[in-house]
PDB file of all heavy atoms in Angstrom:
ATOM      1  N   LYS A 606       2.983   5.999 -18.579  1.00 87.00           N
ATOM      2  CA  LYS A 606       2.419   5.308 -19.729  1.00 87.00           C
ATOM      3  C   LYS A 606       2.404   3.738 -19.348  1.00 87.00           C
ATOM      4  O   LYS A 606       1.441   3.024 -19.541  1.00 87.00           O
ATOM      5  CB  LYS A 606       3.268   5.457 -20.990  1.00 87.00           C
ATOM      6  CG  LYS A 606       2.551   6.399 -21.862  1.00 87.00           C
ATOM      7  CD  LYS A 606       3.209   6.436 -23.298  1.00 87.00           C
ATOM      8  CE  LYS A 606       4.324   7.279 -23.385  1.00 87.00           C
ATOM      9  NZ  LYS A 606       5.081   7.381 -24.575  1.00 87.00           N
ATOM     10  N   HIS A 607       3.548   3.242 -18.795  1.00 88.00           N
ATOM     11  CA  HIS A 607       3.605   1.889 -18.466  1.00 88.00           C
ATOM     12  C   HIS A 607       2.661   1.476 -17.351  1.00 88.00           C
ATOM     13  O   HIS A 607       2.010   0.439 -17.413  1.00 88.00           O
ATOM     14  CB  HIS A 607       5.053   1.523 -18.049  1.00 88.00           C
ATOM     15  CG  HIS A 607       5.955   1.371 -19.214  1.00 88.00           C
ATOM     16  ND1 HIS A 607       7.314   1.502 -19.037  1.00 88.00           N
ATOM     17  CD2 HIS A 607       5.745   1.264 -20.501  1.00 88.00           C
ATOM     18  CE1 HIS A 607       7.966   1.437 -20.249  1.00 88.00           C
ATOM     19  NE2 HIS A 607       7.010   1.253 -21.128  1.00 88.00           N
ATOM     20  N   ALA A 608       2.560   2.358 -16.389  1.00 90.00           N
ATOM     21  CA  ALA A 608       1.637   2.122 -15.278  1.00 90.00           C
ATOM     22  C   ALA A 608       0.182   2.022 -15.780  1.00 90.00           C
ATOM     23  O   ALA A 608      -0.548   1.153 -15.359  1.00 90.00           O
ATOM     24  CB  ALA A 608       1.791   3.206 -14.252  1.00 90.00           C
ATOM     25  N   GLU A 609      -0.105   2.864 -16.691  1.00 88.00           N
ATOM     26  CA  GLU A 609      -1.505   2.948 -17.195  1.00 88.00           C
ATOM     27  C   GLU A 609      -1.751   1.570 -17.954  1.00 88.00           C
ATOM     28  O   GLU A 609      -2.860   0.974 -17.739  1.00 88.00           O
ATOM     29  CB  GLU A 609      -1.679   4.089 -18.072  1.00 88.00           C
ATOM     30  CG  GLU A 609      -3.168   4.232 -18.499  1.00 88.00           C
ATOM     31  CD  GLU A 609      -3.451   5.594 -19.181  1.00 88.00           C
ATOM     32  OE1 GLU A 609      -2.661   6.477 -19.075  1.00 88.00           O
ATOM     33  OE2 GLU A 609      -4.542   5.629 -19.699  1.00 88.00           O
ATOM     34  N   ALA A 610      -0.811   1.169 -18.711  1.00 87.00           N
ATOM     35  CA  ALA A 610      -1.045  -0.075 -19.443  1.00 87.00           C
ATOM     36  C   ALA A 610      -1.158  -1.304 -18.495  1.00 87.00           C
ATOM     37  O   ALA A 610      -2.060  -2.119 -18.707  1.00 87.00           O
ATOM     38  CB  ALA A 610       0.117  -0.299 -20.398  1.00 87.00           C
ATOM     39  N   THR A 611      -0.351  -1.317 -17.479  1.00 91.00           N
ATOM     40  CA  THR A 611      -0.502  -2.436 -16.544  1.00 91.00           C
ATOM     41  C   THR A 611      -1.807  -2.400 -15.801  1.00 91.00           C
ATOM     42  O   THR A 611      -2.452  -3.448 -15.640  1.00 91.00           O
ATOM     43  CB  THR A 611       0.659  -2.318 -15.574  1.00 91.00           C
ATOM     44  OG1 THR A 611       1.940  -2.273 -16.185  1.00 91.00           O
ATOM     45  CG2 THR A 611       0.666  -3.480 -14.553  1.00 91.00           C
ATOM     46  N   LEU A 612      -2.148  -1.232 -15.354  1.00 91.00           N
ATOM     47  CA  LEU A 612      -3.489  -1.121 -14.579  1.00 91.00           C
ATOM     48  C   LEU A 612      -4.620  -1.592 -15.517  1.00 91.00           C
ATOM     49  O   LEU A 612      -5.545  -2.230 -15.085  1.00 91.00           O
ATOM     50  CB  LEU A 612      -3.687   0.266 -14.086  1.00 91.00           C
ATOM     51  CG  LEU A 612      -2.972   0.589 -12.759  1.00 91.00           C
ATOM     52  CD1 LEU A 612      -3.120   2.077 -12.468  1.00 91.00           C
ATOM     53  CD2 LEU A 612      -3.539  -0.197 -11.621  1.00 91.00           C
ATOM     54  N   ARG A 613      -4.539  -1.099 -16.765  1.00 86.00           N
ATOM     55  CA  ARG A 613      -5.669  -1.450 -17.661  1.00 86.00           C
ATOM     56  C   ARG A 613      -5.739  -2.970 -17.878  1.00 86.00           C
ATOM     57  O   ARG A 613      -6.845  -3.522 -17.844  1.00 86.00           O
ATOM     58  CB  ARG A 613      -5.439  -0.736 -18.964  1.00 86.00           C
ATOM     59  CG  ARG A 613      -6.497  -1.056 -19.989  1.00 86.00           C
ATOM     60  CD  ARG A 613      -6.455  -0.216 -21.265  1.00 86.00           C
ATOM     61  NE  ARG A 613      -7.050   1.126 -20.947  1.00 86.00           N
ATOM     62  CZ  ARG A 613      -6.459   2.244 -20.992  1.00 86.00           C
ATOM     63  NH1 ARG A 613      -5.163   2.272 -21.270  1.00 86.00           N
ATOM     64  NH2 ARG A 613      -6.967   3.412 -20.728  1.00 86.00           N
ATOM     65  N   LYS A 614      -4.611  -3.577 -18.016  1.00 87.00           N
ATOM     66  CA  LYS A 614      -4.519  -5.020 -18.198  1.00 87.00           C
ATOM     67  C   LYS A 614      -5.094  -5.753 -16.925  1.00 87.00           C
ATOM     68  O   LYS A 614      -5.970  -6.652 -17.082  1.00 87.00           O
ATOM     69  CB  LYS A 614      -3.081  -5.426 -18.391  1.00 87.00           C
ATOM     70  CG  LYS A 614      -2.887  -6.875 -18.853  1.00 87.00           C
ATOM     71  CD  LYS A 614      -1.411  -6.989 -19.401  1.00 87.00           C
ATOM     72  CE  LYS A 614      -0.694  -8.076 -18.663  1.00 87.00           C
ATOM     73  NZ  LYS A 614       0.683  -8.153 -19.067  1.00 87.00           N
ATOM     74  N   TRP A 615      -4.717  -5.339 -15.824  1.00 90.00           N
ATOM     75  CA  TRP A 615      -5.107  -6.000 -14.620  1.00 90.00           C
ATOM     76  C   TRP A 615      -6.600  -5.771 -14.398  1.00 90.00           C
ATOM     77  O   TRP A 615      -7.350  -6.646 -13.911  1.00 90.00           O
ATOM     78  CB  TRP A 615      -4.336  -5.396 -13.386  1.00 90.00           C
ATOM     79  CG  TRP A 615      -2.960  -5.972 -13.333  1.00 90.00           C
ATOM     80  CD1 TRP A 615      -2.354  -6.856 -14.202  1.00 90.00           C
ATOM     81  CD2 TRP A 615      -1.919  -5.605 -12.408  1.00 90.00           C
ATOM     82  NE1 TRP A 615      -1.121  -7.030 -13.892  1.00 90.00           N
ATOM     83  CE2 TRP A 615      -0.778  -6.298 -12.770  1.00 90.00           C
ATOM     84  CE3 TRP A 615      -1.839  -4.708 -11.342  1.00 90.00           C
ATOM     85  CZ2 TRP A 615       0.471  -6.157 -12.048  1.00 90.00           C
ATOM     86  CZ3 TRP A 615      -0.692  -4.581 -10.652  1.00 90.00           C
ATOM     87  CH2 TRP A 615       0.488  -5.304 -11.011  1.00 90.00           C
ATOM     88  N   LYS A 616      -7.126  -4.605 -14.646  1.00 87.00           N
ATOM     89  CA  LYS A 616      -8.499  -4.354 -14.406  1.00 87.00           C
ATOM     90  C   LYS A 616      -9.371  -5.198 -15.360  1.00 87.00           C
ATOM     91  O   LYS A 616     -10.451  -5.635 -15.022  1.00 87.00           O
ATOM     92  CB  LYS A 616      -8.784  -2.882 -14.583  1.00 87.00           C
ATOM     93  CG  LYS A 616      -8.159  -2.054 -13.503  1.00 87.00           C
ATOM     94  CD  LYS A 616      -8.795  -0.741 -13.305  1.00 87.00           C
ATOM     95  CE  LYS A 616      -8.332  -0.048 -12.063  1.00 87.00           C
ATOM     96  NZ  LYS A 616      -9.143   1.079 -11.655  1.00 87.00           N
ATOM     97  N   GLY A 617      -8.799  -5.386 -16.603  1.00 83.00           N
ATOM     98  CA  GLY A 617      -9.471  -6.290 -17.497  1.00 83.00           C
ATOM     99  C   GLY A 617      -9.554  -7.715 -16.934  1.00 83.00           C
ATOM    100  O   GLY A 617     -10.602  -8.363 -16.986  1.00 83.00           O
ATOM    101  N   LEU A 618      -8.456  -8.150 -16.319  1.00 86.00           N
ATOM    102  CA  LEU A 618      -8.383  -9.509 -15.715  1.00 86.00           C
ATOM    103  C   LEU A 618      -9.371  -9.710 -14.581  1.00 86.00           C
ATOM    104  O   LEU A 618      -9.882 -10.845 -14.408  1.00 86.00           O
ATOM    105  CB  LEU A 618      -6.963  -9.749 -15.235  1.00 86.00           C
ATOM    106  CG  LEU A 618      -5.953 -10.178 -16.232  1.00 86.00           C
ATOM    107  CD1 LEU A 618      -4.493 -10.150 -15.571  1.00 86.00           C
ATOM    108  CD2 LEU A 618      -6.309 -11.493 -16.877  1.00 86.00           C
ATOM    109  N   VAL A 619      -9.556  -8.650 -13.796  1.00 87.00           N
ATOM    110  CA  VAL A 619     -10.457  -8.836 -12.552  1.00 87.00           C
ATOM    111  C   VAL A 619     -11.842  -8.375 -12.744  1.00 87.00           C
ATOM    112  O   VAL A 619     -12.635  -8.499 -11.806  1.00 87.00           O
ATOM    113  CB  VAL A 619      -9.800  -8.164 -11.357  1.00 87.00           C
ATOM    114  CG1 VAL A 619      -8.381  -8.554 -11.099  1.00 87.00           C
ATOM    115  CG2 VAL A 619      -9.877  -6.632 -11.521  1.00 87.00           C
ATOM    116  N   ALA A 620     -12.154  -7.976 -13.951  1.00 82.00           N
ATOM    117  CA  ALA A 620     -13.511  -7.454 -14.205  1.00 82.00           C
ATOM    118  C   ALA A 620     -14.524  -8.556 -13.897  1.00 82.00           C
ATOM    119  O   ALA A 620     -14.410  -9.693 -14.329  1.00 82.00           O
ATOM    120  CB  ALA A 620     -13.651  -7.025 -15.680  1.00 82.00           C
ATOM    121  N   GLY A 621     -15.508  -8.199 -13.050  1.00 82.00           N
ATOM    122  CA  GLY A 621     -16.526  -9.197 -12.762  1.00 82.00           C
ATOM    123  C   GLY A 621     -16.139 -10.257 -11.757  1.00 82.00           C
ATOM    124  O   GLY A 621     -17.007 -11.118 -11.439  1.00 82.00           O
ATOM    125  N   ILE A 622     -14.951 -10.228 -11.321  1.00 87.00           N
ATOM    126  CA  ILE A 622     -14.558 -11.251 -10.342  1.00 87.00           C
ATOM    127  C   ILE A 622     -14.642 -10.665  -8.933  1.00 87.00           C
ATOM    128  O   ILE A 622     -14.199  -9.564  -8.676  1.00 87.00           O
ATOM    129  CB  ILE A 622     -13.091 -11.677 -10.660  1.00 87.00           C
ATOM    130  CG1 ILE A 622     -13.093 -12.440 -12.055  1.00 87.00           C
ATOM    131  CG2 ILE A 622     -12.538 -12.561  -9.582  1.00 87.00           C
ATOM    132  CD1 ILE A 622     -11.676 -12.806 -12.447  1.00 87.00           C
ATOM    133  N   GLU A 623     -15.079 -11.486  -8.013  1.00 90.00           N
ATOM    134  CA  GLU A 623     -15.175 -11.095  -6.620  1.00 90.00           C
ATOM    135  C   GLU A 623     -13.777 -11.159  -5.995  1.00 90.00           C
ATOM    136  O   GLU A 623     -13.050 -12.134  -6.355  1.00 90.00           O
ATOM    137  CB  GLU A 623     -16.069 -12.052  -5.846  1.00 90.00           C
ATOM    138  CG  GLU A 623     -17.630 -11.818  -6.066  1.00 90.00           C
ATOM    139  CD  GLU A 623     -17.958 -10.394  -5.629  1.00 90.00           C
ATOM    140  OE1 GLU A 623     -17.683 -10.105  -4.455  1.00 90.00           O
ATOM    141  OE2 GLU A 623     -18.577  -9.654  -6.440  1.00 90.00           O
ATOM    142  N   PRO A 624     -13.433 -10.249  -5.162  1.00 91.00           N
ATOM    143  CA  PRO A 624     -12.064 -10.293  -4.579  1.00 91.00           C
ATOM    144  C   PRO A 624     -12.031 -11.400  -3.534  1.00 91.00           C
ATOM    145  O   PRO A 624     -12.976 -11.766  -2.918  1.00 91.00           O
ATOM    146  CB  PRO A 624     -11.986  -8.932  -3.838  1.00 91.00           C
ATOM    147  CG  PRO A 624     -13.386  -8.432  -3.628  1.00 91.00           C
ATOM    148  CD  PRO A 624     -14.190  -9.045  -4.745  1.00 91.00           C
ATOM    149  N   ALA A 625     -10.798 -11.938  -3.373  1.00 93.00           N
ATOM    150  CA  ALA A 625     -10.631 -12.941  -2.323  1.00 93.00           C
ATOM    151  C   ALA A 625     -10.932 -12.299  -0.950  1.00 93.00           C
ATOM    152  O   ALA A 625     -10.743 -11.078  -0.826  1.00 93.00           O
ATOM    153  CB  ALA A 625      -9.149 -13.437  -2.360  1.00 93.00           C
ATOM    154  N   PRO A 626     -11.291 -13.041  -0.003  1.00 94.00           N
ATOM    155  CA  PRO A 626     -11.692 -12.464   1.289  1.00 94.00           C
ATOM    156  C   PRO A 626     -10.603 -11.652   1.995  1.00 94.00           C
ATOM    157  O   PRO A 626     -10.895 -10.673   2.757  1.00 94.00           O
ATOM    158  CB  PRO A 626     -12.096 -13.639   2.177  1.00 94.00           C
ATOM    159  CG  PRO A 626     -11.592 -14.894   1.416  1.00 94.00           C
ATOM    160  CD  PRO A 626     -11.472 -14.523   0.002  1.00 94.00           C
ATOM    161  N   SER A 627      -9.372 -12.011   1.741  1.00 93.00           N
ATOM    162  CA  SER A 627      -8.302 -11.157   2.323  1.00 93.00           C
ATOM    163  C   SER A 627      -7.093 -11.222   1.324  1.00 93.00           C
ATOM    164  O   SER A 627      -6.946 -12.146   0.543  1.00 93.00           O
ATOM    165  CB  SER A 627      -7.852 -11.684   3.723  1.00 93.00           C
ATOM    166  OG  SER A 627      -7.354 -12.973   3.570  1.00 93.00           O
TER     167      SER A 627
END
Side-chain angles (χ1 to χ4, degrees):
Chain A
K606 258 194 274 180
H607 285 159
E609 186 166 348
T611 304
L612 278 174
R613 179 168 281 116
K614 191 165 121 185
W615 288 355
K616 290 200 174 194
L618 281 172
V619 303
I622 293 178
E623 284 298 307
S627 62

